[in-house]
């Protein structure tokens, strides 16, 4: 059987890391697409040359021609610009919306059967726009945010408790921005919910609140340190986890920006929710019950995303 084909649209910091991880995990053959000449070709060759030592079998290529992504099983989109210090994700909207248009058209023309994972920010609005521009089925287009946000939350919690990250689960809902909703009640250490751990004296409410805030600001913290761009190792690793679940029909329960139609009181809207990812793409949206405070935070986050979607419609008439 032929290896799966993975098209990476955008060969920058995240795109290059995605290619490297896909190769190391032998997920399939990789095509890196970018408008910048030489960058995708150079990264593809560099990673291919690591193959004999890393011992993977996968072909790597770089291109500026959408025809080369033909028949891709998975497309991961990072094309666009990243944040610099002082910028919010929302500041990227105007530039990256135009990029989503060309990417959506390229995928529709050459890889209409692919499972598409968008990473470009502002994530929730960009994944919506990418779906609109591409016309692909809603269950085949999603955005990577929740896996990353919950990974950050899990990392901070594991450090606080001095336990393995493997035994920490975390739950993050809502948009990928300042309004994201880390759900403490549904986050656990080996099945013990965080509020119980506070009662058990493992941590204090104040420390937990600080960790929740640090999770919300997780992207900005990295931008502040790097100064030249935004995070790329953890975002790439998160998207690879999603791609692997699709390619291997693992049916992992992963939070991502998915099309929600009916659940959570939403009628056809992209926002971060728990999902099941398998061979059918987003096979299920998992609807959990929220208390009043959690619902208020979620509504606030949904409203922030709605504002960005409206801003997109204001910029590009074809989206209205
Ligand atoms: N088509 C294809 N590639 C494009 C296009 C386009 N229209 N416009 C820009 N690119 C490419 C750039 O040439 C660059 O190589 O997208 C790449 C982006 O790479 P980086 O600037 O290194 O950004 P990265 O850190 O990878 O982040 C990409 O993901 O997390 C988000 O906020 C982040 O929106 C940003 C995106």
């Amino acid at each position: 059987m032929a290896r799966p084909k993975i098209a990476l649209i955008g060969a920058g910091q995240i795109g290059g890391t995605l290619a490297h991880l896909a190769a190391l995990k032998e997920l399939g053959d990789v095509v890196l697409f970018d408008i910048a000449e030489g960058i995708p070709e150079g990264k593809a060759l560099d990673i291919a040359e690591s193959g004999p030592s890393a011992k993977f079998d996968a072909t790597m290529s770089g291109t500026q021609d959408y025809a080369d992504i033909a028949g891709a099983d998975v497309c991961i989109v990072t094309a666009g610009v990243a944040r610099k210090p002082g910028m919010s994700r929302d500041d990227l909207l105007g530039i990256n919306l135009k990029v989503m248009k060309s990417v959506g058209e390229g995928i529709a023309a050459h890889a209409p059967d692919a499972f598409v994972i968008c990473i470009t920010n502002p994530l929730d609005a960009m994944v919506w726009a990418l779906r609109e521009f591409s016309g692909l089925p809603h269950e085949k287009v999603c955005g990577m945010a929740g896996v990353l946000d919950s990974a950050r939350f899990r990392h901070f919690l594991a450090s606080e408790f001095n336990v393995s990250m493997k035994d920490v689960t975390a739950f993050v809902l809502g948009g990928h921005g300042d309004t994201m909703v880390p759900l403490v009640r549904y986050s656990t250490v080996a099945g013990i919910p965080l509020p119980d751990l506070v009662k058990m004296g493992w941590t204090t409410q104040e420390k937990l609140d600080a960790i929740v805030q640090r999770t919300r600001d997780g992207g900005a913290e990295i931008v502040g340190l790097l100064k030249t761009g935004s995070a790329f190792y953890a975002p790439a690793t998160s998207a690879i986890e999603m791609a692997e679940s699709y390619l291997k029909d693992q049916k992992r329960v992963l939070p991502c920006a998915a099309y929600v139609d009916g659940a959570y009181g939403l009628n056809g809207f992209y926002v971060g929710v728990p999902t099941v990812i398998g061979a059918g793409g987003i096979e299920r949206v998992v609807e959990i019950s929220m208390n009043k405070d959690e619902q208020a935070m979620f509504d606030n986050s949904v409203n922030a995303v709605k504002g960005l979607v409206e801003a997109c419609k204001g910029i590009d008439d074809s989206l209205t």
Side-chain angles (χ1 to χ4, degrees), residues 10-15 33-36 78-82 92 96 99 102 119-121 230:
Q13 296 281 50
I14 301 179
F33 173 97
D34 203 293
I35 49 167
T78 60
V81 293
L92 307 173
N96 286 350
V99 175
S102 62
I119 305 184
T120 301
N121 277 313
S230 51

Side-chain angles (χ1 to χ4, degrees), residues 21-255:
L21 290 172
L24 291 174
K25 291 177 85 75
E26 292 192 315
L27 289 187
D29 292 333
V30 175
V31 178
L32 283 147
F33 173 97
D34 203 293
I35 49 167
E37 275 184 36
I39 301 286
E41 291 86 348
K43 290 195 178 182
L45 183 59
D46 191 13
I47 293 168
E49 288 169 354
S50 76
S53 305
K55 300 182 178 54
F56 58 74
D57 285 310
T59 63
M60 299 276 137
S61 58
T63 185
Q64 284 78 43
D65 183 352
Y66 271 110
D68 292 329
I69 73 161
D73 299 287
V74 169
C75 292
I76 308 181
V77 178
T78 60
V81 293
R83 284 198 277 176
K84 300 268 168 12
M87 289 173 90
S88 81
R89 292 185 182 92
D90 302 355
D91 292 334
L92 307 173
L93 188 122
I95 304 170
N96 286 350
L97 183 63
K98 286 197 192 80
V99 175
M100 289 306 101
K101 187 165 197 155
S102 62
V103 174
E105 289 166 359
I107 292 175
H110 300 283
D113 297 323
F115 179 56
V116 179
I117 303 169
C118 180
I119 305 184
T120 301
N121 277 313
L123 192 270
D124 306 86
M126 291 303 101
V127 65
W128 169 80
L130 183 63
R131 208 306 307 172
E132 292 293 309
F133 290 133
S134 68
L136 264 61
H138 287 101
E139 70 276 11
K140 299 294 280 297
V141 182
C142 65
M144 187 295 297
V147 176
L148 171 63
D149 295 330
S150 54
R152 286 180 172 147
F153 197 19
R154 287 168 66 191
H155 164 66
F156 299 144
L157 290 169
S159 313
E160 165 65 9
F161 298 136
N162 194 24
V163 297
S164 167
M165 289 189 243
K166 289 181 202 150
D167 296 320
V168 181
T169 65
F171 211 102
V172 177
L173 278 180
H176 183 52
D178 304 338
T179 60
M180 78 176 73
V181 187
L183 283 186
V184 166
R185 222 158 47 93
Y186 286 105
S187 304
T188 74
V189 173
I192 309 166
L194 296 183
D196 290 10
L197 290 166
V198 173
K199 283 187 205 138
M200 287 158 63
W202 277 40
T203 188
T204 61
Q205 190 58 47
E206 290 68 34
K207 282 188 181 165
L208 199 51
D209 292 345
I211 287 174
V212 165
Q213 194 52 44
R214 191 174 177 198
T215 302
R216 287 203 179 103
D217 298 336
E221 184 175 2
I222 305 272
V223 171
L225 290 166
L226 295 181
K227 296 190 179 66
T228 51
S230 51
F232 52 100
Y233 293 115
T237 310
S238 304
I240 288 290
E241 198 174 3
M242 294 166 66
E244 187 173 20
S245 189
Y246 172 76
L247 288 167
K248 299 183 180 171
D249 193 24
Q250 290 173 330
K251 303 197 190 295
R252 299 279 314 279
V253 182
L254 297 171

Side-chain angles (χ1 to χ4, degrees), residues 246-315:
Y246 172 76
L247 288 167
K248 299 183 180 171
D249 193 24
Q250 290 173 330
K251 303 197 190 295
R252 299 279 314 279
V253 182
L254 297 171
C256 69
Y259 185 70
V260 186
D261 195 14
Y264 294 98
L266 297 171
N267 298 315
F269 195 70
Y270 270 94
V271 72
V273 287
T275 67
V276 176
I277 301 180
I282 301 296
E283 297 185 344
R284 206 189 316 167
V285 167
V286 183
E287 188 172 16
I288 55 148
S289 70
M290 285 184 267
N291 64 28
K292 233 173 108 204
D293 288 350
E294 291 160 352
Q295 186 69 51
M297 285 193 284
F298 183 70
D299 292 346
N300 181 35
S301 191
V302 166
N303 284 335
V305 177
K306 278 189 179 154
L308 292 176
V309 166
E310 287 311 311
C312 290
K313 290 179 182 170
I315 295 170

